[in-house]
Every structure is written in C-alpha cells, then in structure tokens.
C-alpha cells in the first residue's frame, strides 16, 4: 500500500476517502435531482379548480359580462394560479436541492469513513511493525471478504520476513564465532613460528604479510558485524550522546594519520550538539566518516568538520577537497564495496564498508545521510540525526 495510493484518514483526509465521499454524494445528489425533476414535471399535469363566478341574475344591471368573457376571465385566473404554484414549487425544489447537497456530502463522508475504517486500521498496524517487532500480526477479524484477504496476505508477508530476518541474524552470529576461531588459530601459529630461536628471514617476512592479511580479514569481519547490527538489530542501548564530543575524540585518535598525510583540519565543531542513540554505533559512524575523509584525501589536502544544531536535529558535516566526482557514482558509495575507481581504493586496511556502515547507523537512528559531490571537487558528507530531548540532555550531562 503506497503512501500516495492509500493515504487515508488523518491530516486533511486521504485521496481514497475524498473519492468515496464524492462518489456517494454524487449518487445521493443525482437521486435527489431525479426525484425533484419528476415531482416538478408531474405537477404540470395537475389542474387547479376554482369556484366559477356566478352569472348575473335576472336583476343584473345592463352591461354585465357575457358567458364568453367569464370563461376567458376564469382561464386567466387559472393560468395565474398555476404559474404561482410552479414558481413556489421551483423555489422549494432549489432549496431542497441545496439541503440535499449538504446531506449527501455528510452521508458520503460517513459511508466512506465506515468503508475505509478497516483499511486505516491495517495501515496503522503495518506502520507500527518494523524489523524489531516482526512477530506482531494484524490478525483482522471479520467476514471472509477482500479486506480480510488483504490483512491475511500482509500477515503472511510478515511471517516470511520474520523467518528471513531470524535466519540472517542467526547466520551472522554463527559466522562471527566460526570465523574468529580460525583467525585466532592462524595468529597463534604465526606467533609460535616467529618465537622460535633465530627464525629465518623468509619466515619473518611471511609472518608479516600474513598478519597484514589477517588484520584485513578481522577488520572486514568486524565491519560485517557492525553493519548487520545497525541494519537488523534493536538499539537497546539508546542514551543521550554528545555528537561534538564523539567527533573531537575521533579526531584526537587519528592525529598521527592526519600528520602522516599533512592534512589541514578546519574545525567547525560546536559544543553540546546532542542526539539520542547507541553511543557505540554513533562513535563508529563518526570514526568511519573521518576515516573516509583521511583515507581518500590527497597528501597536503584539507578536511572541514562541523557539528551544529539545525531544524532537522544534530548535524555532522565532513568535507574534503580533491578531484571533481560524478554524483551518480557518489550516490552508490553507501552500497557495500562501492568505490570511486582505483584512486579511491584506499590502503590495505580499507574494507570497503565504511560509508555502508555509516548509512546503516544513520538509518537505524531515524536520521538522514546525504553524499554530495562538491562542484569545486571533493566530497561533502552530511549526517543528520534527531535531537535529544531537553530531559535527556540533562541526564547526559550528569553522567
């Protein structure tokens, strides 16, 4: 049920309700018009009789009206009375038509609301169901009609989605344990080989390369786990989080990387920009955005970082310079393993999941992520998150 096609009830009324209202009102109004037209036409066949005027008696004065004149006068009077009746009937019919129009609209709206009420209930219940409560069902009771068939179809879809989500989460959990065990075993084997007295130079070189690859696999696995939790896991650890504090902490931890590439940081971080969510995931989001700005930057380049409060909420903005990028390809950077060509493949430690994780975390917090290719060159990343309530901010300060 698309939002445009089934926007029913609520603010301003929905499209379907308006259509049903107009449909029912038109039917009622057309019936009223036909009824009034028939009444008006049938009234033309009625004859109005008046008592005939008395003919002059024997003692009438000379010059009294003849019988032909009396008939003409009586016909004229009958015509006037009939015209007055038609005029009053027409006025009454127009008034009745106006009243019938209002009544038709009212009855049409009532009937439309009654017909669409089950669909509104289904829509509201479906909107309340998310990845965290897929076990809920609509469970619409009633006769076996089209509405119940629709509700049962949605329940079947939710059941299949729940089974799919559970299988995916179970796979992620099992894979995390199964993959970490051989990684740990390989690390231990390398440590044993290197710890032997006077190891060969080839052994030391091989151990170094294997450790690098193991670090890459471990980093990739960690990225998969964070991505799975952000996309499908429940955020049970929601709390007030200072976005500016997370940003400054991430910059401090990467001071050596910034110095290694001689990057200039333009600091626009404002104090006490609060949001609410998982501190662990939000910290990872900020770190990934800054890592992306460092890794895919030119030596001697610049990074502009800002946090601020806006009408949308808490906003994190990270901009970098560089070559002019294609916006179509930039839009795909939130997909796993999407990169902007060989020039943005990154170092060996890059997993290709950085902005995918950022997008998933922002989505899990009901935020908005925007990637913009700057006309002057480089990339602009905007992450807008809901603002924490005043009470939450106070609680966050006391921690």
């Amino acid at each position: 049920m698309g939002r445009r096609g089934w926007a029913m009830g609520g603010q301003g009324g929905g499209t379907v309700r308006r259509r049903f209202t107009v449909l029912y009102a038109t039917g009622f109004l057309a019936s009223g018009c036909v009824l009034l037209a028939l009444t008006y036409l049938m009234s033309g066949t009625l004859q109005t009789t008046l008592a005939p005027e008395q003919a002059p008696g024997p003692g009438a004065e000379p010059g009294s009206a003849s019988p032909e004149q009396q008939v003409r006068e009586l016909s004229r009077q009958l015509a006037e009375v009939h015209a007055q009746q038609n005029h009053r009937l027409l006025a009454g019919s127009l008034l009745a038509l106006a009243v019938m129009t209002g009544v038709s609209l009212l009855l049409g709206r009532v009937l439309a609301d009654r017909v669409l009420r089950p669909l509104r209930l289904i829509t509201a219940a479906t909107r309340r169901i998310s990845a965290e409560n897929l076990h809920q069902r609509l469970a619409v009771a009633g006769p076996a009609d089209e509405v119940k068939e629709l509700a049962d179809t949605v329940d079947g879809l939710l059941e299949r989605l729940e089974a799919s989500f559970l299988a995916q989460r179970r796979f992620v959990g099992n894979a995390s344990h199964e993959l970490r065990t051989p990684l740990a075993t390989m690390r231990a084997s390398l440590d044993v080989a290197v710890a032997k007295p006077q190891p060969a130079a080839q052994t030391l070189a091989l151990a170094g390369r294997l450790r690098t690859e193991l670090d890459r696999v471990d980093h990739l696995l960690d990225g998969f786990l964070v991505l799975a939790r952000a996309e499908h896991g429940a955020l049970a650890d929601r709390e007030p989080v200072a976005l500016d504090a997370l940003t400054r902490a991430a910059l401090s931890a990467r001071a050596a990387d910034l110095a290694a590439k001689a990057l200039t940081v333009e600091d626009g971080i404002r104090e006490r920009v609060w949001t609410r969510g998982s501190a662990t995931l939000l910290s990872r989001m900020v770190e990934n955005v800054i890592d992306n700005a460092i890794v895919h930057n030119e030596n001697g380049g610049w990074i502009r970082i800002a946090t601020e409060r806006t009408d949308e909420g808490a906003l994190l903005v990270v901009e970098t310079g560089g070559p002019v990028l294609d916006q179509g390809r930039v839009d795909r950077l939130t997909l796993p393993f999407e990169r902007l060509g060989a020039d943005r493949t990154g170092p060996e430690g890059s997993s290709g999941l950085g902005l995918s994780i950022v997008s998933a975390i922002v989505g899990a917090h009901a935020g908005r992520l925007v990637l913009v290719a700057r006309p002057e060159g480089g990339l602009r990343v905007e992450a807008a998150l809901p603002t924490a309530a005043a009470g939450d901010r106070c609680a966050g300060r006391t921690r």
Side-chain angles (χ1 to χ4, degrees), residues 44-59:
T45 63
L46 299 178
Q47 300 295 328
T48 303
T49 59
L50 294 177
E53 295 183 2
Q54 297 294 331

Side-chain angles (χ1 to χ4, degrees), residues 254-267:
R254 287 151 180 77
D257 297 331
L258 293 170
K261 299 188 72 168
L263 298 177
T264 302
V265 177
E266 300 180 21
D267 191 341

Side-chain angles (χ1 to χ4, degrees), residues 135-364:
H135 61 279
Q136 295 185 7
R137 298 292 182 269
L138 302 179
V140 174
D145 54 8
E146 289 81 358
V147 175
K148 188 171 183 355
E149 183 180 359
L150 173 62
D152 292 342
T153 302
V154 174
D155 283 341
L157 174 62
L158 292 175
E159 184 176 356
R160 293 190 295 273
L161 286 176
E162 182 185 16
S164 176
F165 273 72
L166 289 176
Q168 187 176 33
R169 291 174 184 174
R170 191 179 302 112
F171 170 78
V172 170
N174 294 336
S176 64
H177 292 292
E178 295 295 332
L179 290 176
R180 288 190 183 279
T181 299
L183 288 177
T185 302
M186 285 185 282
R187 288 182 186 278
S189 300
L190 287 177
D191 293 338
V192 171
V194 174
K196 290 181 178 181
Q198 298 180 349
Q202 293 87 347
T203 302
L204 293 177
L206 178 61
R209 289 196 297 270
L210 288 178
R211 277 202 179 95
T212 300
E213 293 302 320
L214 289 175
D215 290 339
R216 178 194 292 269
V217 174
D218 195 43
H219 184 63
L220 181 62
L221 177 60
D222 180 63
F224 276 131
L225 295 176
V226 175
L227 184 61
R229 183 193 172 194
E231 288 182 339
H232 309 304
L235 301 180
D237 55 343
R238 287 182 179 270
E239 60 178 336
V241 179
L243 191 60
D244 56 294
L246 294 181
T247 305
R248 291 195 182 281
L251 281 175
S252 297
R254 287 151 180 77
D257 297 331
L258 293 170
K261 299 188 72 168
L263 298 177
T264 302
V265 177
E266 300 180 21
D267 191 341
I269 302 174
R270 296 187 182 181
E271 299 293 334
R272 294 298 177 258
V273 179
W274 290 90
T275 184
R276 181 175 177 82
S278 169
T280 303
L281 290 180
L282 290 176
S283 177
R284 183 62 178 268
M285 178 204 74
V286 175
E287 292 171 355
N288 280 16
V289 173
I290 295 178
D291 284 341
N292 184 78
I294 296 174
V295 170
H296 304 299
N297 209 326
E298 302 172 334
N299 290 329
W302 57 270
I303 302 175
R304 183 180 299 118
I305 302 178
T307 60
E308 58 182 320
R309 292 187 300 272
T310 65
D311 294 338
E312 292 186 66
L315 183 65
L316 169 66
V317 180
V318 178
E319 291 184 274
T320 58
V324 177
L325 305 175
D326 178 64
Q327 183 62 47
R329 300 183 66 185
V330 167
D331 293 336
R332 297 179 54 85
L333 290 179
T334 56
L335 301 176
F337 308 113
E338 283 288 338
R339 299 182 176 93
L340 290 177
D343 59 326
R344 290 180 64 87
T345 55
E348 293 183 354
S350 176
S351 64
L353 297 174
L355 291 180
S356 301
I357 293 174
V358 171
S359 177
I361 294 175
V362 172

Side-chain angles (χ1 to χ4, degrees), residues 18-46:
R18 284 198 298 268
R19 290 177 179 174
F20 274 130
T21 300
V22 172
L23 178 63
Y24 290 137
T26 302
F28 283 122
L29 191 58
S31 300
C33 291
V34 172
L35 180 61
L36 293 176
L38 290 175
T39 303
Y40 184 75
L41 292 175
M42 291 177 65
S43 67
T45 63
L46 299 178

Side-chain angles (χ1 to χ4, degrees), residues 41-115:
L41 292 175
M42 291 177 65
S43 67
T45 63
L46 299 178
Q47 300 295 328
T48 303
T49 59
L50 294 177
E53 295 183 2
Q54 297 294 331
E61 297 180 359
S64 297
S66 64
E68 293 79 5
Q69 292 176 337
Q70 291 179 1
V71 171
R72 286 196 296 270
E73 180 65 20
L74 183 58
S75 299
R76 184 186 63 80
Q77 292 176 0
L78 288 174
E80 291 178 356
V81 170
H82 189 66
Q84 292 174 0
Q85 287 180 338
N86 287 342
H87 179 74
R88 287 195 296 269
L89 182 60
L90 179 60
S93 299
L94 293 176
L95 178 61
L97 185 61
V99 174
M100 193 64 182
T101 301
V103 173
S104 299
L105 290 173
L106 179 60
L107 290 177
R109 185 179 181 87
V110 171
L111 290 177
D113 285 340
R114 185 175 182 84
V115 170

